[in-house]
Amino acid sequence: MYRTHTCGELTLADLGKDITLCGWVQKSRDLGGMTFIDMRDRYGVTQLAFNADDDEMLRARARELGREYVIQVKGTVIERSSKNLKIPTGEIEIRVADLLVLNAAKLPPFLIEDETDGGDDLRMKYRYLDLRRNPLRNNLMLRHRMAQAVRSYLDGQGFLEVETPVLIKSTPEGARDFVVPSRMNEGQFYALPQSPQTFKQLLMVSGFDRYFQIVKCFRDEDLRADRQPEFTQIDCEMAFVEQEDILNLFEGLIRYLFKTVKDIEIGQLPRMTYADAMRLYGSDKPDTRFGMHFVELNSVLKGAGFPVFDNAELVVGIKAEGCASYTRKQLDALTDFVKRPQIGATGLVYLRVNEDGTLKSSVDKFYNEAQLAAWAEAFDAKSGDLILVMAGDADKTRKQLNELRLEMGSQLGLRDKNKFSALWVIDFPLLEWDEESGRYHAMHHPFTSPKMEDVALLDTAPGEVRANAYDMVINGTEVGGGSIRIFQKDLQQLMFRHLGFSEEEAQAQFGFLMDAFTYGAPPHGGIAFGFDRLASIFAGLDSIRDVIAFPKNNAGRDVMIDSPSPISQEQLDELKISIR
Amino acid sequence: MYRTHTCGELTLADLGKDITLCGWVQKSRDLGGMTFIDMRDRYGVTQLAFNADDDEMLRARARELGREYVIQVKGTVIERSSKNLKIPTGEIEIRVADLLVLNAAKLPPFLIEDETDGGDDLRMKYRYLDLRRNPLRNNLMLRHRMAQAVRSYLDGQGFLEVETPVLIKSTPEGARDFVVPSRMNEGQFYALPQSPQTFKQLLMVSGFDRYFQIVKCFRDEDLRADRQPEFTQIDCEMAFVEQEDILNLFEGLIRYLFKTVKDIEIGQLPRMTYADAMRLYGSDKPDTRFGMHFVELNSVLKGAGFPVFDNAELVVGIKAEGCASYTRKQLDALTDFVKRPQIGATGLVYLRVNEDGTLKSSVDKFYNEAQLAAWAEAFDAKSGDLILVMAGDADKTRKQLNELRLEMGSQLGLRDKNKFSALWVIDFPLLEWDEESGRYHAMHHPFTSPKMEDVALLDTAPGEVRANAYDMVINGTEVGGGSIRIFQKDLQQLMFRHLGFSEEEAQAQFGFLMDAFTYGAPPHGGIAFGFDRLASIFAGLDSIRDVIAFPKNNAGRDVMIDSPSPISQEQLDELKISIR
């Protein structure tokens, strides 16, 4: 036993106790004949007092302690003269009788404080020091609590946690696999799972009825900002269920998580069709913390002789309340924002409803007073509002206006990280056209079932077929998605055919699953949540990196352990592979 | 909602209720004008009754249902005339009003019954059908309960569950790594972790204080019986602890598991030094469900002119109570057993204590009555006992006698799977000599700390240095092991030097860890349990395979999904590797 207590628990109730504490030197200061040291561990900070009158040698040794030294002290709990009521231990200090340095420490390369002076690269290299800082440790403690709460809820609902294999089989569908050469099966490879999809479906065929797992998944993709090659899913599947059952049960999960982890009641989740989400927000993951939904203006603004609108497939706008006072400069900045290559709009039109009720637009010469009034009317605009309008190809314009809406939401402070707005987006399209390959791809994955009433459209209008697929969206982020699966071999074969698989390809890659469907597969469906993302939203972070203990950088490298790295010729020889 | 209830819950309390059930056809039988079907799901079996007098068409359809068809029935709960009190639903049946076939099923390739007719290969190929059988599903439900209980205990003890990376760095120490070529870092590889050892130590340096994880680990080893290339550990680490703290806390875990999962009180775990374990059982994982410990006989049996004993380093034996009646044939079989190449003994000597008290040995001509009596006396042998003695090189003979002891335990029914005997083996040697490489290897791993009082021996008698290392053993199986770690850079460097690492090698492979030790590393230690093994012991199984949902065969193949498999030329090109 190195200690009798932690640094977070001693209070006035412990006055007079002889205790032993261990921890890190957070900081020290001298005050007359006294030296005070803040000693830190995971549980808190306790003040140590060394009095030269008591023991001058001991005090001298205390003065030599550097930041981040690991020490053990024995002493007595006494009342502090200068109390700090912000921390639980702030009314006491330890009158130290004995001090042992357990390990010295070099000066850390950056400050171990809530606000640090370390740059990203340095903090990644010394991640083990960055993790000492309260904000990071708190994120990971939050993640721990979330994981326990997820399991507790699902266990209570009769779900069984089953581990599925990590060394599986490479399939060309979907993202790029990480592969693992097999030494015992020369020239062959395992793949790391992008998700346990087929295994959880097989568990339903096995009659496991309700399955879950908090599980690592892998994708060898070029890392866009805030993607990690390995990430964690809360993966779930249920048998004998319809979409409604899944939405209800997992809405329950998310409500339970908010309640138990953050003590927030988020209430019932609204449901929005994919079509509505695209029409009203230009996004299948609308940020519903604020309104500002789209108003379509074709009937209001087309035909007045303004060629940009007249030639557009869609004229659509948003109303920014109280922004009529935006200056020319601010408006130009918004126009520049939408013209950035990442967004790619050609321009932005505004209509101001001035405080005196007059209307002023950037395209005044094409519209008379009555037309401008009808324009404002379409938004139910009031004095002081600003209307922003874009036009062009419908799909592209919606996406562009979505970006502008989010930007306006940010500028107006409507995207508060402490406010949470969750919803279901449902009725996703089954297929989406891929320009590059010139064929339809599965929007979710090839195991997603079409809505029965839409199956007939597969041959005539594949893009219009809706799927039994759903996403959970919180604050404009997709935190989870799933579907009711196909469970009949015939329908699965039909789907593979529509996705451009030959019969041989389908059999080679997913034959075991289609075979399984012939031995008594129950109807089933499921969902997977991105656990990193969910934790980052709960933590109020923009990035998933700081809810992961040891993340990789954007080049897929762990700069702390310097991985990946070359391997030995002997290893390559055993695997019978060569580097080109 | 496909169902109102499961197949495991309806009882007499539900009489008269209109219900909907779903499940699989377990079996059906005709009886006069009635057809009865046992319908199965994860929760149980419910009997369905189809009466020709009620609805002849419906009954005809019921008769056409094959085994494993997935069906939905609507009906009323009625009392059975012929009750089955062995199952919770055995007093009721469903008078079926409506039947829907959700999915037909081909005849399974083997019986879906507790005792199946399927061979191993067939059951592995159709694992999803094998998992329908109660024994397998029960194993995985037991594993689920164990996982939840482990987390509940450790969470309650202040441990934080932290996910460590799966894509890490290859190190030559230890077993062979699985490696993963990096597309973004040409010619470089990740490795899959054999354990999260260094990461959990870094978390201690980070001040996480108590860490755990139930985590997949990987070893690319030639698969001996009952090894899997991927396996699961309960991985734990604590800071500011001594060995005693860890033994107590994890003894608590195992007691909690036995109590909550199996309702068994296993009591306090005895502690045995490695030296005693080898001396008394010839094994560092003694099966202590039975006694029969070794008695060393050098002083009793050497020097009587029997050359085998006289020339042996060690003469040692066990007493098999009540086995004096073993026939010549049985004794010959035991001799053959120890002479098998896997054991490699040269012979076996016996001494019988006959029912009449007379003594009879296989080496009578070398020993007189008094000497035989002394021999029996050394074992405190009684009438009816059989003493079995082996001799030779001490280490080898102990290992051989261990095999014989276990065999005798099995023959005498002393290795009951429903009896559990757990203990700690402590004070392991730090190093063991490796004949092949001609150097010392770390017996646990290079981060294990030596006992301070033995450090001086590192230079003079490395093999005698004891480590702060411990194993938990249950029923002769090592279920967990760990150590107090080195936390000082100097000592870690010294260890690497003794293990034959050059300074450059040590720095290249573990530089980040030794660097971390210089920034304030606390004393720490931990343990890892083999979760598959632990679950198999709880389930009373000899093999870990049937506590794993989708295991691989002895060639490392998943025969169900046919993996590993070739990958495309495009994939190889992207990874810049070639198959030789």
Side-chain angles (χ1 to χ4, degrees), chain A residues 257-400:
Chain A
L257 273 183
F258 270 106
K259 183 64 194 164
T260 55
V261 176
K262 294 188 78 74
D263 198 23
I264 290 175
E265 302 275 4
I266 58 158
Q268 213 177 343
L269 270 63
R271 297 179 187 182
M272 190 184 295
T273 64
Y274 173 86
D276 280 348
M278 296 310 292
R279 188 172 55 79
L280 294 171
Y281 298 94
S283 168
D284 58 2
K285 37 181 195 282
D287 185 342
T288 49
R289 280 175 295 187
F290 63 108
M292 207 187 283
H293 57 72
F294 293 6
V295 174
E296 302 197 347
L297 301 163
N298 281 16
S299 61
V300 181
L301 295 183
K302 285 180 76 160
F306 177 43
V308 172
F309 287 178
D310 288 354
N311 298 330
E313 186 186 356
L314 178 68
V315 183
V316 60
I318 54 173
K319 175 178 69 177
E321 292 180 8
C323 292
S325 57
Y326 263 40
T327 61
R328 181 77 222 178
K329 197 174 158 192
Q330 283 175 297
L331 290 166
D332 285 349
L334 289 181
T335 304
D336 289 347
F337 174 82
V338 298
K339 281 178 154 178
R340 291 158 59 206
Q342 304 94 305
I343 300 183
T346 50
L348 180 64
V349 167
Y350 69 80
L351 171 68
R352 264 196 198 122
V353 187
N354 293 317
E355 291 297 339
D356 62 4
T358 58
L359 300 167
K360 167 79 186 109
S361 95
S362 52
V363 290
D364 271 356
K365 62 177 166 176
F366 297 102
Y367 297 92
N368 60 32
E369 286 280 322
Q371 286 169 319
L372 292 179
W375 183 352
E377 176 72 14
F379 287 88
D380 197 16
K382 296 188 175 43
S383 297
D385 290 349
L386 175 70
I387 288 160
L388 298 166
V389 176
M390 299 174 76
D393 168 82
D395 287 353
K396 282 186 189 155
T397 305
R398 287 193 177 107
K399 280 184 186 137
Q400 292 159 355

Side-chain angles (χ1 to χ4, degrees), chain A residues 1-3 22 24 42-43 68 70 102-107 128 131-132 140-141 143-144 148 151 155 158-170 176 178-185 187-190 199 202 205-210 216 218 220-223 230 232 240-242 245 487 512 516 518-523 549-550 552 555-557 560-565 567 569 571 573-580, chain B residues 1-3 22 24 42-43 68 70 102-107 128-129 131-132 140-141 143-144 148 151 155 158-170 176 178-185 187-190 199 202 205-210 216 218 220-223 230 232 240-242 245 487 512 516 518-523 549-550 552 555-557 560-565 567 569 571 573-580:
Chain A
M1 277 293 186
Y2 274 87
R3 61 189 174 195
C22 292
W24 286 260
R42 178 182 124 193
Y43 310 94
E68 302 303 320
V70 185
L102 296 171
N103 216 339
K106 288 194 297 201
L107 193 69
Y128 49 87
L131 286 171
R132 282 188 192 161
L140 286 157
M141 289 176 70
R143 184 179 175 124
H144 162 81
Q148 311 316 310
R151 294 204 192 83
D155 183 43
F159 283 76
L160 296 177
E161 188 179 6
V162 180
E163 294 176 54
T164 52
V166 176
L167 296 171
I168 65 165
K169 184 176 179 169
S170 188
R176 199 185 287 104
F178 281 106
V179 297
V180 181
S182 167
R183 184 180 50 89
M184 288 202 283
N185 300 271
Q188 302 192 4
F189 293 74
Y190 301 101
F199 290 98
L202 290 175
V205 176
S206 297
F208 274 54
D209 209 70
R210 295 182 167 201
K216 275 281 175 76
F218 306 86
D220 184 12
E221 289 183 351
D222 295 325
L223 299 175
E230 53 180 296
T232 304
F240 300 116
V241 289
E242 291 158 336
D245 304 316
F487 68 104
F512 62 96
T518 65
Y519 285 106
F550 300 103
K552 293 181 175 58
R557 293 199 69 81
M560 179 185 73
I561 63 171
D562 193 22
S563 160
S565 61
I567 58 174
Q569 189 59 44
Q571 284 174 292
D573 290 347
E574 282 193 317
L575 296 171
K576 304 276 197 301
I577 59 171
S578 305
I579 296 167
R580 293 187 198 166
Chain B
M1 278 294 187
Y2 273 85
R3 62 189 174 195
C22 291
W24 285 261
R42 178 183 123 193
Y43 310 93
E68 301 304 318
V70 185
L102 297 171
N103 218 339
K106 288 194 296 202
L107 194 68
Y128 50 87
L129 297 179
L131 286 171
R132 281 189 192 160
L140 286 159
M141 289 176 70
R143 184 179 176 124
H144 162 82
Q148 310 317 310
R151 294 204 192 84
D155 182 45
F159 284 76
L160 297 177
E161 187 180 7
V162 180
E163 295 176 55
T164 53
V166 176
L167 295 171
I168 65 164
K169 184 176 178 167
S170 189
R176 197 185 288 108
F178 281 105
V179 296
V180 181
S182 166
R183 183 179 53 87
M184 289 202 282
N185 301 272
Q188 300 192 6
F189 293 75
Y190 302 100
F199 290 97
L202 289 175
V205 175
S206 298
F208 274 56
D209 208 72
R210 296 183 167 202
K216 275 281 173 77
F218 306 86
D220 184 13
E221 289 184 349
D222 295 325
L223 299 176
E230 53 180 297
T232 304
F240 300 115
V241 289
E242 290 158 337
D245 304 315
F487 68 104
F512 62 96
T518 65
Y519 285 106
F550 300 103
K552 293 182 177 55
R557 294 197 68 82
M560 180 185 71
I561 64 171
D562 193 23
S563 161
S565 60
I567 58 173
Q569 189 58 45
Q571 284 175 292
D573 291 346
E574 282 193 317
L575 296 171
K576 304 275 196 304
I577 58 171
S578 306
I579 297 167
R580 293 187 197 163

Side-chain angles (χ1 to χ4, degrees), chain A residues 57-108:
Chain A
M57 289 284 286
L58 189 65
R59 191 224 176 180
R61 285 177 51 220
R63 290 181 72 175
E64 280 165 21
L65 296 173
R67 274 179 181 258
E68 302 303 320
Y69 271 49
V70 185
I71 58 173
Q72 181 189 51
V73 296
K74 295 179 195 295
T76 311
V77 182
I78 60 173
E79 188 166 359
R80 260 201 228 185
S81 54
S82 166
K83 295 193 170 57
N84 174 0
L85 297 179
K86 286 187 204 148
I87 60 171
T89 60
E91 296 184 90
I92 60 99
E93 64 189 14
I94 308 301
R95 183 179 189 159
V96 178
D98 202 2
L99 164 68
L100 182 65
V101 174
L102 296 171
N103 216 339
K106 288 194 297 201
L107 193 69

Side-chain angles (χ1 to χ4, degrees), chain A residues 104-120:
Chain A
K106 288 194 297 201
L107 193 69
F110 50 83
L111 279 177
I112 312 289
E113 303 276 2
D114 291 5
E115 296 292 328
T116 181
D117 56 351
D120 267 3

